[in-house]
Amino acid sequence: MALLKVKFDQKKRVKLAQGLWLMNWFSVLAGIIIFGLGLFLKIELRKRSDVMNNSESHFVPNSLIGVGVLSCVFNSLAGKICYDALDPAKYAKWKPWLKPYLAVCVLFNVTLFLVALCCFLLRGSLESTLAHGLKNGMKFYRDTDTPGRCFMKKTIDMLQIEFKCCGNNGFRDWFEIQWISNRYLDFSSKEVKDRIKSNVDGRYLVDGVPFSCCNPNSPRPCIQYQLTNNSAHYSYDHQTEELNLWLRGCRAALLSYYSNLMNTIGAATLLVWLFEATITVGLRYLHTALEGMANPEDPECESEGWLLEKSVPETWKAFLESMKKLGQGNQVEAEGEDAGQAPAAG
């Protein structure tokens, strides 16, 4: 028994074909939007590629760009099929290809849904790549004279200013690395010598941060050095001071930015997927309604359209049997090739 059977007359078939034609062209526009969102996300990720540890995060924008292009192609073709469906002579050339085309559409819908799902799951990948990337970026902050790293100081400073953040997890991360280049240290100074000697790795560590960590909302001039020394500054307590520096780490700030962006793109992709799934269902009804016409030469005759020719369990069983036969056919072919090669080996 067919699943979700619907009766169609000529008027209903014409309305269905016209409605699907219009929906397909809306889907072409939706595909362009998905393509644009993927391109925008790729550009945004490339902007901060210097503080990201790998390129795995580009899988999602590349996938969005891909499904956006495919959506434009498939829906343009579907629009043409729906337009020609109103003319029996033109529809005849599409008839042998409609079933394979619908199978491809189902596969495309599954792919689109998985891409939308990946948009919501990217956060975990981004969290780890940002943690390592920012840590390495901070280590290279001082290497303003080293080729290939001379831009890192500007990158980190602009990042901290734009996202109102400081360090990887917080401003104290700067206390654990030497972020001032040896070029700007006076090695004849006793203070510099003592700090370097007091460190096992011979690094110049200070309880200070770069200027880009300063919060302009602070009513007092920014305190960048001796941040944990209350006596070094008038009317200052580092444990209660909240406005002097940005307190949020850059990993959390970037993660929040990209998560919000990905959630928005994921929601938009899901809406497009629902629209595409509706079109695929409509195409299936149009296909079966046209196929089920008792007299194709009489456009006014009634016909029946359905979603599946059999029930869901029967369709699934038939699918498994066809896959099993396909597997057995491949096995027989492989055994035949082996048998043919055996005498030659002898």
Side-chain angles (χ1 to χ4, degrees), residues 31 34-39 42 60-70:
I34 292 295
F35 176 85
L37 289 172
L39 200 60
K42 192 172 182 69
V60 171
N62 290 340
S63 299
L64 287 166
I65 291 169
V67 295
V69 171
L70 289 175

Side-chain angles (χ1 to χ4, degrees), residues 165-285:
C165 58
C166 185
N168 189 349
N169 298 307
F171 68 90
R172 290 181 181 274
D173 293 337
W174 289 107
F175 298 178
E176 300 170 6
I177 62 170
Q178 181 181 337
W179 55 272
I180 301 173
S181 173
N182 288 340
R183 180 182 177 182
Y184 304 107
L185 293 176
D186 181 8
F187 285 95
S188 63
S189 167
K190 184 178 181 301
E191 181 191 352
V192 172
K193 287 179 180 178
D194 290 344
R195 280 191 179 273
I196 292 174
K197 286 179 182 178
S198 64
N199 186 263
V200 177
D201 299 323
R203 294 178 299 169
Y204 181 74
L205 303 181
V206 293
D207 56 342
V209 297
F211 79 96
S212 52
C213 283
C214 292
N215 184 349
N217 296 319
S218 175
R220 69 183 300 163
C222 183
I223 296 174
Q224 292 177 245
Y225 298 99
Q226 297 187 15
L227 288 169
T228 56
N229 186 1
N230 292 337
S231 61
H233 312 283
Y234 177 74
S235 184
Y236 174 77
D237 184 354
H238 74 277
Q239 293 181 339
T240 59
E241 188 71 36
E242 294 183 356
L243 292 174
N244 185 57
L245 303 175
W246 300 120
L247 299 179
R248 187 166 65 158
C250 289
R251 181 176 59 156
L254 282 170
L255 197 58
S256 174
Y257 171 73
Y258 282 117
S259 294
N260 291 335
L261 185 60
M262 292 305 302
N263 289 340
T264 303
I265 294 174
T269 309
L270 274 179
L271 286 174
V272 174
W273 169 74
L274 285 171
F275 202 64
E276 292 283 356
T278 304
I279 290 173
T280 303
V281 170
L283 280 172
R284 176 59 175 166
Y285 274 113

Side-chain angles (χ1 to χ4, degrees), residues 41 45 51-54 56-58 119 121-134 251 254-262:
L41 179 61
L45 288 171
V51 292
M52 292 186 178
N53 198 40
N54 56 51
E56 290 177 8
S57 51
H58 287 274
C119 291
L121 299 176
L122 182 64
R123 181 186 172 92
S125 173
L126 272 177
E127 191 165 8
S128 59
T129 192
L130 282 171
H132 291 95
L134 282 167
R251 181 176 59 156
L254 282 170
L255 197 58
S256 174
Y257 171 73
Y258 282 117
S259 294
N260 291 335
L261 185 60
M262 292 305 302

